[in-house]
Amino acid sequence: MKACGEVKALQEAKTVHEHLIGSFSPLKISIYNRILETYLKCGSTDDAFDVFEKMPRRNLTSWDTMITGLARNGLGEDALDLFSQFKQAGLKPDAKMFLGVFYSCGVVGDINEGMLHFSLMSSDYGIVPSMEHYVGVVDMLGSTGNLDEALEFIEKMPFEASADVWETLMNLCRTHGHLELGDRCAELVKQLDPSRLNEQSKAGLIPLKESDLKKNEKKKLASQSPLEVRSRVNEYRAGDTSHPANDRIYALLRRLKEHMKEAGYVPETRFVLHDIDQESKEEALLAHSERLALANGLLTSPARGQIRIIKNLRVCGDCHAAFKIMSKIVGREIIMRDAKRFHHFNEGLCSCRDFW
């Protein structure tokens, strides 16, 4: 189950799940928790809910896993509803659960509720916030664009903020274009732990982790999107024309583009870095790996079936906007896991609410 979760292999996870139920019932709570974690990592929140509801018993880890997993799938409201059910059942949250709650509040953009939970941690449950909790609150505030509030929160901490705290704010500032504050944070990180700043962060960019670099080297730094089709995994690279159904894939993408423009889509050609004319830039956007994966998925999967895509890099803004519109045009749910998070596209909306 752990291996299935790591590679997002949903069908294989279901097969293992069936084998466990058939051969080893009744299952231990720890096994149920692993199954929950795997389904959530695969982006299948419906399967996770089904397992959770049918569990004969649950422990704190079961609730923790569901709350955090739902939030990381962009379902922050469901995660917070589950936390309310947890409290209504008379159960007491632990320190780890509040990390999932802060992340959920960041997903839904409700910083007031997040700060209320932070206050109740100590007043109602006697939990002294750790540095990890302060990082979680800064991430919640910063991810929703409340950077000044995040800075004020750090300045009021009862002890000196760690490099983790300042690094979190630094990256969020640069994500939201607040470069001056980002540079100030970088100076503080440098004072506390210079080893955390690589060449990207010193240059004012959002740094890549060493693990990300190794993954990208392994994948030859190409943008790839595996798409599961009938127990096969197809892999696509940006600009790829080697697929046997290449002509049909590009023809479908061009037809969809016309329908999308009628629905109000305007190609964001600033995501094309080549010095070419406008028409060529629009054509280049069609060749992004996630679009090739989606087009082949539409051609080869059952009508109205869910389409699941994994992307090794962060999805670009144009593809994100395009996927929202395409999900409504084709009447399909599209689940994409990029380097940052899950995106559930359905009926013209994305679960991330355009924060990613």
Side-chain angles (χ1 to χ4, degrees), residues 14 20 48 80 113 124 128 138 232 239 254-255 272 287 300 322 332 339:
K14 289 184 175 183
L20 286 167
L80 292 172
E113 182 171 356
D124 285 18
V128 178
V138 169
R232 295 194 310 274
R254 291 186 183 101
R255 288 200 304 273
V272 180
T300 57
R332 303 259 206 132

Side-chain angles (χ1 to χ4, degrees), residues 190-260:
K190 184 179 178 181
Q191 292 173 23
L192 293 167
D193 186 358
S195 65
R196 290 181 178 255
L197 298 180
N198 58 20
E199 291 306 313
Q200 287 88 7
S201 52
K202 288 177 183 176
L205 304 173
I206 300 170
L208 281 169
K209 295 178 182 176
E210 189 175 343
S211 57
D212 294 333
L213 289 170
K214 286 178 179 176
K215 286 177 188 174
N216 286 345
E217 285 171 9
K218 193 173 181 180
K219 296 184 179 182
K220 299 180 182 178
L221 293 171
S223 177
Q224 304 174 23
S225 295
L227 169 73
E228 292 182 38
V229 180
R230 299 175 190 169
S231 76
R232 295 194 310 274
V233 174
N234 292 284
E235 188 173 274
Y236 306 82
R237 295 171 181 270
D240 193 0
T241 57
S242 62
H243 195 281
N246 180 68
D247 291 343
R248 294 175 65 209
I249 287 172
Y250 278 93
L252 175 58
L253 287 171
R254 291 186 183 101
R255 288 200 304 273
L256 279 172
K257 186 177 78 169
E258 296 309 313
H259 289 299
M260 288 160 58

